[in-house]
Amino acid sequence: MAGAAPSEQSPSRSGVFSKPADPLTLAFSQSIAFDKALYRHDIAGSLAHAQMLHKVGLLKKSEEEAIRKGLKAILAEIEAGRFDFREEFEDIHMNVEKALEARIGPAAGKLHTARSRNDQVALDERLWLRDEIDRCRAMLTAVQEALLRRAEEYAADVMPGYTHLQRAQPVTCGHYLLAFVEMLERDKDRLAETRRRANVLPLGACALAGTSLPIDREYVAELLGFDGVTRNSMDTTGDRDHLVDFAYAMALSMVHLSRLAEDFILYASAEFGWLRIDDAWCTGSSIMPQKRNPDLLELIRGKTGRAVGTLNHLLVMLKGLPMTYNRDCQEDKELLFDTTKQYQSCLEVLSKLLDNLSFDRQKMAAACEGGYMDATALAEFLVQRGIPFRQAHHAAGQLVRVAAEKGKRLSELSIGELKQIHALLNEEARSVLGAKGVVAAYASAGSPNPKMVRREIQAWKKRLAQATRKAK
Ligand code: ARG
């Protein structure tokens, strides 16, 4: 018995098959449900490919024109939501090819000359990656800008800095916020590096071995804005390194966002009470009327698992693949697409949330009163007077013990009490005590001194404005 009419079958079912695919074969192997997200990139790649085929004489002018018009009409149809994506055509590549055939007839059959879906999907993914990286980087800049606005507002306000989650030394809130600006800048660098490495054209590798046809890969690379062409056809069709790079860059960036979320959740608790999130950006409880929950931050923290999982998935997916393309590679998309969407929504939410919260200066300053966070400053006072640091460190520790026993702060100890521990501790020593004095005394580059924080904020503003101008 003859199979289904060719037009109802996937273009990949050649004459070798004696019957149509079983419905379960189709349902299990289709990727259209998720790779339709690549439609724009697939069509852009085909337009460039057709232009090249015409240039080298493999397509007539009229054929190239028909293909171009047809592809543009299909693009418009998809964007208008009128395109009928069909599972029996498996993926975005063959859905577009079949739609083109329906529009322009047999000339559509020439588009796949000197091309395989193996290099086609590799191309689509690289084009997709470039767009997504550009979007992520712009969104990271928006979060950095929001952080800078808050840093400027709280540049000189003291807060406890922690190590081991124990009060350590006073810092400024501006400096604390700038720490996240730094992390996000490294995230942007990693993304830019990923984009740079990915920006070579895979098309022309064909299935695995290139082609005997006289194609011009450099020309296609130029048309699509690539920096060059990949150099080994076998490597090219099985290469997903850039997707792993991207997954890693997102996973680590999510870890940064998660750490911020964790801090802010703690700081918004009654136990800290340093942070208040605007009502419109909090959620309530269905039973406890008093609750104002920081769910958005918790979701950012929670979604980090997906990003880390995606990285793990891709690495495991790739580890056992024999040389060149294997269908396993189709499994590179769903999680990565989802993680990209989730990551970008986290960045969007965070940039808005940062404009809708406030720090409580008084409570942060009050938290600096306890915990003897000025003990290091006292030790450094002695060091400046020639005392070896170890001795100074010991003396300041003794003072903390004495003060704690008496229920006093270091600044409340009398000169007599100070001198009992070390003869060089005089009235002047008391001036280095207290959080405001401590932060104003920090002198090393990169420390929380409010003067340095203000300088850093200005430098960041300039740097981000420059980067934004360059991106446009
Ligand atoms: N949907 C496939 C993927 O995402 C396209 C490539 C299929 N190639 C093949 N020879 N079956 O990887």
Side-chain angles (χ1 to χ4, degrees), residues 173-204:
C173 188
H175 190 64
Y176 163 74
L177 293 166
L178 287 179
F180 292 110
V181 176
E182 296 283 342
M183 294 185 199
L184 299 189
E185 188 66 17
R186 293 196 295 274
D187 295 341
K188 280 161 65 180
D189 277 354
R190 260 182 291 277
L191 287 167
E193 186 56 23
T194 297
R195 192 191 196 286
R196 185 191 65 72
R197 275 200 291 266
N199 201 31
V200 277
L201 177 86
L203 203 70

Side-chain angles (χ1 to χ4, degrees), residues 38-315:
L38 296 173
Y39 73 88
R40 240 178 337 106
H41 308 102
D42 195 73
I43 290 174
S46 288
L47 285 168
H49 183 63
Q51 205 174 322
M52 181 277 291
L53 290 178
H54 168 57
K55 178 175 177 265
V56 302
L58 288 167
L59 273 186
K60 288 197 218 100
K61 182 81 211 138
S62 59
E63 291 167 333
E64 192 270 335
E65 242 174 61
I67 288 174
R68 179 158 28 91
K69 283 194 187 136
L71 287 173
K72 287 192 170 160
I74 291 167
L75 179 66
E77 207 177 299
I78 297 176
E79 301 212 301
R82 284 187 278 105
F83 190 86
D84 182 19
F85 290 105
R86 308 243 315 248
E87 191 176 274
E88 62 270 33
F89 302 148
E90 277 185 54
D91 54 27
I92 184 64
H93 323 298
M94 295 195 295
N95 264 272
V96 172
E97 188 180 326
K98 289 299 281 184
L100 189 63
E101 179 191 289
R103 275 177 184 274
I104 70 168
K110 287 201 174 182
L111 176 61
H112 212 54
T113 306
R115 184 172 79 172
S116 151
R117 279 182 297 154
N118 298 353
D119 59 343
Q120 189 178 359
V121 72
L123 170 63
D124 292 6
E125 288 186 309
R126 284 180 199 247
L127 291 171
W128 171 85
L129 186 65
R130 293 196 317 201
D131 283 356
E132 295 304 326
I133 285 180
D134 291 347
R135 189 168 304 136
C136 290
R137 293 186 80 241
M139 295 180 93
L140 279 161
T141 301
V143 178
Q144 287 177 307
E145 285 165 347
L147 282 163
L148 282 184
R149 285 192 286 277
R150 292 281 83 87
E152 199 158 30
E153 193 176 343
Y154 301 103
D157 293 295
V158 292
M159 68 190 286
Y162 294 83
T163 63
H164 314 272
L165 207 55
Q166 305 289 316
R167 284 183 189 170
Q169 286 180 289
V171 295
T172 44
C173 188
H175 190 64
Y176 163 74
L177 293 166
L178 287 179
F180 292 110
V181 176
E182 296 283 342
M183 294 185 199
L184 299 189
E185 188 66 17
R186 293 196 295 274
D187 295 341
K188 280 161 65 180
D189 277 354
R190 260 182 291 277
L191 287 167
E193 186 56 23
T194 297
R195 192 191 196 286
R196 185 191 65 72
R197 275 200 291 266
N199 201 31
V200 277
L201 177 86
L203 203 70
C206 303
L208 77 162
T211 175
S212 62
L213 297 166
I215 60 173
D216 183 347
R217 298 185 65 207
E218 298 286 349
Y219 180 64
V220 180
E222 210 180 293
L223 289 177
L224 292 172
F226 285 103
D227 296 328
V229 305
T230 59
R231 301 181 61 87
N232 182 301
S233 65
M234 293 182 80
D235 174 41
T236 299
T237 52
D239 175 17
R240 297 293 181 273
D241 289 6
H242 41 288
L243 301 186
V244 177
D245 284 345
F246 184 42
Y248 169 62
M250 285 195 291
L252 186 52
S253 186
M254 280 300 296
V255 166
H256 292 152
L257 302 187
S258 183
R259 291 184 64 189
L260 179 149
E262 167 68 9
D263 270 5
F264 281 23
I265 291 163
L266 275 178
Y267 297 167
S269 70
E271 283 65 23
F272 281 81
W274 302 351
L275 190 76
R276 189 171 170 91
I277 302 169
D278 180 86
D279 273 356
W281 298 84
C282 284
T283 51
S285 155
S286 61
I287 175 169
M288 298 167 284
Q290 85 285 9
K291 291 302 286 288
R292 298 174 73 261
N293 291 329
D295 286 29
L296 299 182
L297 292 164
E298 293 167 80
L299 283 166
I300 290 174
R301 191 176 55 189
K303 286 175 191 292
T304 306
R306 296 203 205 194
V308 175
T310 296
L311 173 61
N312 191 48
H313 160 71
L314 286 174
L315 289 169

Side-chain angles (χ1 to χ4, degrees), residues 12 29-32 34-35 38 90-93 116-119 121 125 240 325-333:
S12 67
S29 61
Q30 64 83 26
S31 54
I32 190 63
F34 48 89
D35 69 12
L38 296 173
E90 277 185 54
D91 54 27
I92 184 64
H93 323 298
S116 151
R117 279 182 297 154
N118 298 353
D119 59 343
V121 72
E125 288 186 309
R240 297 293 181 273
Y325 180 84
N326 298 270
R327 192 63 175 265
D328 314 44
C329 287
Q330 180 168 294
E331 290 293 316
D332 63 0
K333 293 176 196 62

Side-chain angles (χ1 to χ4, degrees), residues 440-457:
Y442 289 135
S444 53
S447 62
N449 184 318
K451 280 199 198 121
M452 295 193 200
V453 172
R454 291 214 171 83
R455 244 180 279 141
E456 276 299 292
I457 291 169

